[in-house]
């Protein structure tokens, strides 16, 4: 009984929560029912809020360049906050902040990129020495996109790129902290896709697009109006600059010029000649760490199945090995290293959860900063195990994948094919994505396939996807399902497909091109019409559109447009058999909302079963916890009806999400 002093709204919330909390659904799939009946203590259902809005969650720790301050993200009130601790004094300042930032060179200010979901980011600066500080907008230009090109060592000045003059390309500006002035440094002629700058704020070069070549040039005069060509890079090659080396004459980069796999290279800026520093015959180098002070490589990471680190700095190797311990499956994400190289921050993820660690390389000591949400979930219910999987595609390609199984018996299970976005991206083991573990906790086998076109497995594997949207990229997913059916893991009649962005497109393809294979599908910010995807793309995609066109065609060419339409689910809506759920952010700048609204209209016109939800405050993805909570709740209810898994029912955090 409540006391007379209890506020009326607390009474209402308590009553609502009590009334609605009993709506959880037991599984209807025979394998899941049998599994529960055979267990003395069935695997507990984890509340949805723990995946979407962990009340005690904290993470994304960063050490300041001078090692004096820590920054991290955690809850502040009912929203996201940014926290900064002075390590020496122990004083913590916190700020309500919808985005996370990066330390400025002075170890006092934090730089943030923030937008309202439409990707027109502004650059903000926050003074963390002031408890009541508000972020200052350094680029208050409506309708344009800005980002920090580079910081200037031993200064609070910045180089900032902005497209307010020409929405298709980015000019380079110098921001002077003392005056707040933003002065044009170099104007983009309309073809520059990369400015090359060093840690001292000097503009050393640019890469200009010419047909299918990138022309690297260096400036001939101080006002950057005349340039000299040095070397060329094919548009088919990948060259990702990392840092200018200490000699100012070379560049550390990830490159696959002249080879299949991406390697760490040292590129001579006067000739374009590359020296390979590290390459792996199995996969691309996925990450390289460059020392802040020395500007020399410290380590590289590769991911054939699980993450593997290769070290050039023995102290760093000892630190990572100490953090990994004796665990078999571990992922170490190094969030930053102090400028003197003595202190690092890392997130350590493993089968039982994860933690954020501050490690002193001098003292060889670690300090626990915080546990991950995975650890708290593991204490409520054992984390499902994720393991690497390989199989052959029907045309003989080696396909890498990940399989996450519910705790207990793993036979004849309802299965979800969870497709990554990009498509030039890939799934990885033990990442921060909670979805595979959430779905497995509800009783599903979860298959994540790195289909052809995925990054990380070399040029040939990626280029095997050219012309294969709704073709072999899709049959790779089908072959993964068939592999699981052959092993007795998957119930062939209870398979769903879901994903976001390209994954949403893949889901729509599954439901329209092979409707007999999938019982239902979920598309989040997925495209349904390939031609209009490119026609409606943001203007700053312009220099990169030819890469899309190599894979799906040019909508300006009638013959290509016809093929693109033939590969677009929008025009096959009448083929759908099972139920679909489509969700989209109303502010999405990459995949326009009409990609979903038109698909829903076509489905309803054809008399198909479709649920549609638009999130008014979201863009290309869901970042606010109320939106994530809504998405997960809708997903578990939808799949429970379709596949027969478990659903936790109403989560009382939904009351708070209605307010926010």
């Amino acid at each position: 009984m409540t006391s007379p002093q209890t506020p009326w709204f607390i009474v209402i919330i308590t009553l609502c929560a009590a009334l609605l909390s009993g709506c959880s659904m037991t599984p209807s799939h025979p394998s899941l029912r049998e599994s529960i009946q055979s267990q003395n203590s069935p695997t507990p259902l984890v509340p949805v809020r723990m995946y979407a809005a962990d009340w005690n969650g904290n993470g994304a720790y960063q050490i300041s360049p001078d090692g004096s301050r820590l920054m991290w993200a955690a809850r502040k009130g009912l929203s996201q906050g940014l926290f900064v601790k002075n390590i020496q004094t122990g004083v913590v300042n916190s700020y309500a902040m919808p985005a996370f930032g990066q330390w400025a060179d002075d170890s006092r200010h934090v730089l943030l990129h923030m937008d309202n979901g439409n990707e027109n980011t502004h650059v903000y600066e926050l003074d963390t020495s002031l408890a009541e500080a508000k972020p200052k907008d350094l680029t208050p230009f409506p309708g344009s996109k800005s980002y920090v090109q580079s910081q200037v060592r031993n200064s609070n000045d910045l180089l900032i790129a902005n497209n307010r003059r020409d929405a298709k390309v980015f000019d380079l500006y110098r921001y002077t902290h003392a005056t707040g002035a933003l002065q044009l440094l170099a104007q983009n002629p309309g073809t520059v896709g990369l400015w090359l700058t060093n840690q001292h704020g000097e503009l050393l070069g640019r890469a200009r697009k010419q047909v299918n070549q990138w022309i690297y040039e260096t400036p001939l005069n101080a006002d950057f109006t005349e340039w000299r060509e040095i070397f060329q890079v094919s548009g088919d090659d990948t060259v990702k600059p990392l840092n200018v080396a200490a000699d100012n004459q070379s560049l550390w980069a990830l490159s696959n010029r002249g080879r299949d796999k991406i390697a760490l290279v040292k590129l001579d800026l006067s000739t374009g000649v590359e020296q390979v520093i590290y390459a792996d015959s199995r996969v691309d180098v996925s990450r390289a760490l460059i020392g802040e002070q020395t500007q020399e490589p410290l380590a590289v990471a590769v991911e054939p199945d699980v993450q593997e680190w290769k070290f050039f700095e023995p102290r760093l190797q000892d630190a990572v090995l100490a953090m990994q311990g004796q665990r078999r499956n571990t992922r170490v994400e190094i969030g930053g290293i102090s400028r003197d190289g003595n202190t690092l921050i890392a997130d350590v993820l493993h089968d039982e959860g994860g933690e954020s660690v501050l490690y002193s390389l001098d003292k060889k000591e670690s300090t626990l900063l915080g546990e991950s949400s995975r650890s708290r979930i593991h204490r409520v219910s054992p984390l499902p195990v994720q393991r690497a999987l390989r199989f052959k595609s029907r045309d003989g390609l080696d396909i890498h994948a990940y399989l996450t199984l519910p705790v207990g018996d793993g036979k004849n299970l309802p299965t979800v094919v969870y497709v990554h976005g990009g498509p030039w991206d890939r799934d990885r083991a033990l990442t921060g994505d909670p979805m595979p573990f959430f779905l497995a906790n509800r009783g599903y086998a979860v298959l994540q396939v790195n289909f052809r076109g995925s990054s990380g497995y070399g040029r040939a594997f990626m280029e095997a996807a050219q012309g294969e949207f709704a073709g072999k990229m899709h049959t790779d997913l089908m072959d993964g399902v068939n592999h699981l059916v052959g092993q007795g893991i998957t119930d062939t009649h209870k398979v769903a497909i879901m994903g976001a962005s390209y994954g949403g497109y893949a889901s729509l393809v599954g439901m329209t091109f092979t409707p007999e294979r999938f019982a239902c599908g979920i598309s989040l910010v997925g495209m349904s019409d390939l031609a209009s995807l490119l026609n409606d793309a943001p203007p700053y995609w312009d220099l990169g559109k030819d890469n899309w066109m190599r894979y799906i065609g040019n909508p300006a060419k009638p013959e290509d447009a016809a093929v693109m339409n033939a590969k677009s689910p929008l025009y096959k809506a009448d083929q759908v058999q099972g139920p679909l759920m489509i969700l989209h952010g109303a502010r999405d700048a990459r995949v326009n909302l009409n990609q979903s609204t038109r698909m829903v209209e076509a489905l309803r016109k054809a008399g198909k079963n479709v649920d549609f939800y638009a999130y008014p405050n979201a863009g290309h993805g869901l970042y606010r916890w109320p939106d994530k909570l809504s998405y997960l709740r809708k997903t578990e209810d939808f799949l429970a009806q379709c596949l027969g898994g478990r659903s936790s029912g109403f989560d009382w955090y939904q009351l708070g999400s209605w307010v926010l």
Side-chain angles (χ1 to χ4, degrees):
M1 180 179 294
T2 59
S3 68
Q5 289 77 31
T6 304
W8 63 268
F9 61 89
I10 296 294
V11 177
I12 292 175
I13 290 175
T14 303
L15 289 173
C16 287
L19 288 170
L20 294 169
S21 61
C23 300
S24 60
M25 294 159 56
T26 57
S28 60
H29 190 277
S31 293
L32 300 183
R33 286 204 313 268
E34 292 171 9
S35 178
I36 288 178
Q37 291 168 2
S38 66
Q39 298 178 44
N40 294 328
S41 178
T43 304
L45 272 176
V46 179
V48 176
R49 59 182 175 273
M50 295 193 72
Y51 298 100
D54 184 2
W55 188 259
N56 297 307
N58 57 80
Y61 284 85
Q62 286 188 40
I63 188 76
S64 63
D66 67 2
S68 68
R69 287 181 169 91
L70 280 176
M71 171 172 58
W72 69 93
R75 174 188 58 84
K76 184 174 174 63
L78 294 179
S79 299
Q80 181 174 322
L82 184 151
F83 292 73
V84 175
K85 178 180 180 178
N86 185 308
I87 295 175
Q88 184 174 3
T89 66
V91 173
V92 177
N93 290 334
S94 62
Y95 312 89
M97 201 67 59
F100 196 64
Q102 66 182 102
W103 280 109
D105 185 81
D106 66 357
S107 297
R108 169 178 166 176
H109 292 84
V110 169
L111 305 172
L112 306 107
H113 294 87
M114 294 194 290
D115 61 58
N116 68 355
N118 63 6
E119 299 191 18
N120 283 330
T121 52
H122 291 213
V123 176
Y124 290 81
E125 182 184 68
L126 177 70
D127 187 346
T128 66
S129 69
L130 304 176
E132 303 298 326
K134 302 293 182 184
K136 176 184 177 182
D137 190 351
L138 307 185
T139 55
F141 312 121
S144 70
K145 182 181 181 73
S146 301
Y147 62 88
V148 175
Q149 163 70 26
S150 60
Q151 300 190 45
V152 180
R153 176 64 64 84
N154 300 322
S155 166
N156 284 333
D157 293 356
L158 305 169
L159 297 186
I160 293 176
N162 173 269
N163 68 342
R164 57 179 166 150
R165 184 189 59 83
D166 181 346
K168 292 183 178 180
V169 293
F170 293 85
D171 297 325
L172 190 63
Y173 295 82
R174 184 172 183 119
Y175 170 76
T176 303
H177 186 270
T179 64
L182 197 64
Q183 182 179 1
L184 181 67
L185 185 65
Q187 182 169 303
N188 196 317
T191 54
V192 171
L194 168 72
W195 300 106
L196 186 63
T197 56
N198 66 10
Q199 59 181 329
H200 303 294
E202 298 170 325
L203 175 56
L204 302 181
R206 69 183 191 182
R208 175 175 56 83
K209 191 71 173 291
Q210 181 175 295
V211 192
N212 192 37
Q213 297 286 327
W214 286 100
I215 313 299
Y216 175 79
E217 301 173 324
T218 56
L220 287 174
N221 54 8
D223 60 2
F224 306 109
T225 56
E226 297 181 31
W227 296 78
R228 178 182 60 179
E229 179 181 332
I230 303 297
F231 60 90
Q232 299 183 4
V233 175
S234 169
D236 298 326
D237 293 331
T238 295
V239 179
K240 180 182 177 182
L242 299 174
N243 291 71
V244 174
D247 62 9
N248 239 23
Q249 304 299 315
S250 50
L251 173 72
W252 303 110
L254 297 178
S255 169
N256 66 358
R257 289 170 70 198
R259 62 194 153 267
D260 182 63
K261 304 295 192 298
I262 292 174
L264 173 64
V265 304
K266 189 174 187 180
L267 190 155
D268 188 318
L269 293 174
S270 63
T271 64
V273 174
E274 293 181 356
Q275 174 191 357
V276 175
I277 305 302
Y278 185 85
D280 191 298
S281 61
R282 300 167 297 169
V283 290
D284 296 335
V285 172
S286 59
R287 187 182 179 192
L289 292 176
I290 309 296
E292 179 75 12
Q293 189 69 29
T294 64
Q295 294 297 299
E296 292 287 327
L298 301 175
V300 297
V302 295
E303 302 200 37
D305 288 315
V306 298
Q307 182 194 62
E308 299 176 13
W309 281 101
K310 309 296 180 182
F311 298 95
F312 308 116
E313 214 283 332
R315 291 197 312 159
L316 184 59
Q317 177 173 334
D318 292 343
V320 171
L321 290 176
M323 288 185 284
Q324 288 175 331
Q326 300 302 312
R327 303 183 186 99
R328 185 171 60 88
N329 293 325
T330 309
R331 183 179 195 87
V332 178
E333 292 290 1
I334 298 175
I337 304 175
S338 61
R339 185 168 292 153
D340 61 12
N342 290 330
T343 309
L344 68 82
I345 294 284
D347 290 328
V348 184
L349 300 174
H350 44 82
D351 288 338
E352 292 78 36
E355 52 273 341
S356 296
V357 174
L358 176 72
Y359 192 92
S360 170
L361 280 76
D362 280 346
K363 299 178 182 178
K364 297 185 178 181
E365 295 177 351
S366 64
T367 302
L368 177 66
L369 298 175
E371 288 187 314
S372 72
S373 297
R374 285 171 51 84
S375 289
R376 281 183 287 279
I377 289 171
H378 187 63
R379 285 197 290 271
V380 172
S381 183
L383 282 174
V385 175
Q386 185 180 63
R387 62 181 175 88
L389 186 71
R390 296 189 189 185
F391 59 88
K392 287 280 188 182
S393 70
R394 61 191 64 184
D395 61 347
L397 277 184
D398 288 320
I399 305 294
H400 295 246
Y402 297 96
L403 176 65
T404 308
L405 293 174
V407 176
D409 187 21
K411 295 297 181 182
N412 197 41
L413 294 171
T415 298
V416 178
V417 181
Y418 180 44
V419 189
H420 70 68
W424 304 286
D425 199 350
R426 60 162 291 182
D427 283 312
R428 297 169 174 83
L430 292 174
T431 67
D433 184 359
M435 185 62 80
F437 304 94
F438 167 73
L439 294 174
N441 181 256
R442 269 53 185 165
Y444 307 111
V446 184
L447 176 65
Q448 297 170 267
V449 178
N450 283 322
F451 48 86
R452 71 191 69 201
S454 300
S455 61
Y457 299 98
R459 183 200 303 265
F461 187 81
M462 181 178 288
E463 292 181 351
Q466 291 184 3
E468 296 299 340
F469 274 52
K472 292 180 180 179
M473 295 168 76
H474 181 61
T475 58
D476 288 346
L477 303 178
M478 303 271 284
D479 293 341
V481 174
N482 293 339
H483 178 75
L484 296 187
V485 171
Q487 291 189 329
I489 293 172
T490 290
D491 177 350
T492 189
H493 301 295
K494 290 294 182 180
V495 181
I497 184 168
M498 68 178 290
S501 195
Y502 174 85
Y505 165 79
S507 300
L508 296 177
V509 166
M511 296 298 292
T512 53
F513 284 71
T514 55
E516 71 288 344
R517 168 74 280 177
F518 298 103
C520 54
I522 301 174
S523 169
L524 173 64
V525 296
M527 56 268 206
S528 64
D529 181 3
L530 295 178
S532 65
L533 172 74
L534 294 190
N535 288 332
D536 297 341
Y540 45 83
W541 275 30
D542 198 57
L543 291 179
K545 272 188 180 180
D546 58 346
N547 186 55
W548 275 94
M549 293 177 187
R550 283 198 294 272
Y551 284 79
I552 63 175
N554 183 349
K557 297 179 178 179
E559 62 275 20
D560 284 9
V563 173
M564 295 170 82
N565 289 345
K567 294 176 179 291
S568 296
L570 177 64
Y571 305 106
K572 295 177 73 69
D574 62 336
Q575 299 299 304
V576 170
Q577 295 178 15
L580 258 167
M581 183 168 71
I582 296 177
L583 313 96
H584 215 109
R587 297 174 178 175
D588 194 341
R590 301 188 201 184
V591 179
N592 195 285
L593 177 63
N594 68 35
Q595 292 279 333
S596 284
T597 56
R598 292 163 61 210
M599 185 70 194
V600 170
E601 182 181 358
L603 288 164
R604 288 176 175 167
K605 184 177 180 180
K608 304 302 179 180
N609 181 358
V610 58
D611 293 328
F612 175 60
Y613 305 94
Y615 292 95
N617 297 312
H620 193 65
L622 306 179
Y623 301 103
R624 299 171 66 251
W625 74 259
D627 294 343
K628 293 180 184 178
L629 185 76
S630 167
Y631 175 44
L632 292 177
R633 278 288 300 116
K634 293 180 188 302
T635 294
E636 67 171 346
D637 284 350
F638 179 82
L639 293 177
Q641 293 288 343
C642 170
L643 300 184
R646 302 193 295 174
S647 176
S648 61
F650 182 83
D651 189 300
W652 64 272
Y653 265 43
Q654 290 176 249
L655 296 172
S657 70
W658 295 340
V659 177
L660 297 174

